[in-house]
Amino acid sequence: MRDASTREKAIAVSLTIIGAALLGFSPIFVRLSTIDPLSTGFFRFFLAFPFLFSWMLFDHNQDIQSKAPRTKREYFLLISAGAFLALDIAFWHWSLHKTSVANATLLNNLTSIFVATISWLVLRVKLGRATVIGILLATLGAALLVGDRDDTHVSQLLGDSQALISAGFYAGYVLAVKQLRQHFSAATIMTWSGLASMYTLALMMGIYEDHFLPTHYQDWLPIIGLAIIVHVLGQGFVAYGMGHLTAAFSSVALMISPIVSTIIAWYLFSEELTLIKILGGIIILIGLVIARENEKKLSIQN
């Protein structure tokens, strides 16, 4: 029994680390996509849906009655989660075309700061000293990132602002998921909320975009990578691992994602890493780890 438990934990650790690393490819695939940002997000959900649906269908953690919403509240929460996630993806994808991958990814990762703040302001949840210190450190790091401007500062500032907005919408997704986890497994939540995200992005595509489909078959590769490598494997591995590990370890493991993104962007896109950006990024990561230390559960990342 003990050997089985140890083996299961080792698998969970490995999958969480691998999943976090795979999530780091998300902004890279978005940058490499030749179609518009919202369309890229739509196909992320569209191509991932059959895999997520199959995962939910064969998920043994819940019976068949628990794999679909039954009450108006459950429908509302699943649709809200999907809409929040779609808006998070929309603003984050927009930001990736205006600011650096490092800025967009690190600022988007401030979700836990928004969650803690909203919980304190709206839900009257008391914040521990570690969470407050983490919030202050993450805010300082974000200020350093946003304050480090170059000649294209107007576009970068807009991109940084969109990344922060995306983190706010993802906070809404996290709070909805925290409620849904009382009734559904990760597979069920990802499937139903993903369907709602897909419809939300389709509506936004019709309003804001014209270039929906890739023109050449090779242009599908980054979109397929975003759907399979990031959305199905990355998020799936992290979702599984978090169910078996402590929040403290998970929070540290998830910090692998922005590090992977930044290194790959530096190599592929020659993005400059100034001392201030590096310092701001390190402070944000430290702040996020501290702020998340007391959380019992974390949601899935981008």
Side-chain angles (χ1 to χ4, degrees), residues 57-71:
L57 202 61
F58 296 100
D59 183 12
H60 299 298
N61 291 329
Q62 291 186 316
D63 55 38
I64 192 65
Q65 287 79 17
S66 301
K67 295 179 180 179
R70 293 153 295 182
T71 65

Side-chain angles (χ1 to χ4, degrees), residues 26 40-48 89 226-227 230-231 235 302:
S26 180
T40 301
F42 169 80
F43 281 110
R44 166 181 178 161
F45 291 100
F46 181 80
L47 296 177
I89 292 295
L226 188 63
V230 174
H231 200 77
Q235 289 195 347
N302 282 342

Side-chain angles (χ1 to χ4, degrees), residues 225-240:
L226 188 63
I228 307 303
I229 295 176
V230 174
H231 200 77
V232 176
L233 297 179
Q235 289 195 347
F237 287 169
V238 169
Y240 175 84

Side-chain angles (χ1 to χ4, degrees), residues 31-105:
R31 276 280 191 89
L32 293 174
S33 175
T34 59
I35 59 177
D36 291 334
L38 296 180
S39 301
T40 301
F42 169 80
F43 281 110
R44 166 181 178 161
F45 291 100
F46 181 80
L47 296 177
F49 184 78
F51 297 93
L52 295 176
F53 183 78
S54 300
W55 179 24
M56 180 188 71
L57 202 61
F58 296 100
D59 183 12
H60 299 298
N61 291 329
Q62 291 186 316
D63 55 38
I64 192 65
Q65 287 79 17
S66 301
K67 295 179 180 179
R70 293 153 295 182
T71 65
K72 290 182 179 179
R73 182 175 182 273
E74 289 175 355
Y75 273 107
F76 174 76
L77 286 173
L78 285 168
I79 293 173
S80 297
F84 280 131
L85 184 57
L87 290 169
D88 158 55
I89 292 295
F91 277 93
W92 191 48
H93 283 199
W94 281 331
S95 74
L96 283 165
H97 289 272
K98 297 183 181 68
T99 190
S100 68
V101 167
N103 277 33
T105 304

Side-chain angles (χ1 to χ4, degrees), residues 239-255:
Y240 175 84
M242 282 185 174
H244 299 80
L245 302 171
T246 64
F249 176 83
S250 299
S251 64
V252 175
L254 285 171
M255 293 304 100

Side-chain angles (χ1 to χ4, degrees), residues 121-281:
L121 291 174
V122 179
L123 304 178
R124 302 301 180 185
V125 175
K126 292 184 179 180
L127 300 181
R129 183 179 299 176
T131 302
V132 174
I133 293 174
I135 290 175
L136 293 176
L137 283 174
T139 303
L140 172 61
L144 290 175
L145 278 185
V146 174
D148 188 24
R149 305 260 66 89
D150 58 21
D151 293 337
T152 59
H153 63 281
V154 175
S155 176
Q156 286 189 1
L157 184 60
L158 177 59
D160 290 344
S161 300
Q162 289 173 330
L164 282 172
I165 292 172
S166 74
F169 280 121
Y170 197 72
Y173 171 74
V174 169
L175 292 172
V177 167
K178 284 182 181 292
Q179 297 296 316
L180 289 166
R181 284 292 281 163
Q182 300 174 17
H183 309 284
F184 302 108
S185 67
T188 299
I189 294 171
M190 287 181 67
T191 301
W192 285 97
S193 65
L195 189 62
S197 297
M198 190 164 57
Y199 278 105
T200 303
L201 285 169
L203 178 62
M204 296 177 69
M205 283 165 53
I207 298 173
Y208 294 108
E209 294 183 347
D210 299 316
H211 190 192
F212 298 149
L213 293 171
T215 53
H216 301 95
Y217 73 90
Q218 63 265 32
D219 294 336
W220 281 101
L221 295 179
I223 300 173
I224 293 172
L226 188 63
I228 307 303
I229 295 176
V230 174
H231 200 77
V232 176
L233 297 179
Q235 289 195 347
F237 287 169
V238 169
Y240 175 84
M242 282 185 174
H244 299 80
L245 302 171
T246 64
F249 176 83
S250 299
S251 64
V252 175
L254 285 171
M255 293 304 100
I256 294 173
S257 176
I259 295 173
V260 170
S261 299
T262 301
I263 293 174
I264 297 176
W266 168 75
Y267 178 77
L268 288 182
F269 309 129
S270 300
E271 289 192 353
E272 183 182 6
L273 292 177
T274 65
L275 182 60
I276 293 180
K277 283 185 181 292
I278 294 173
L279 180 61

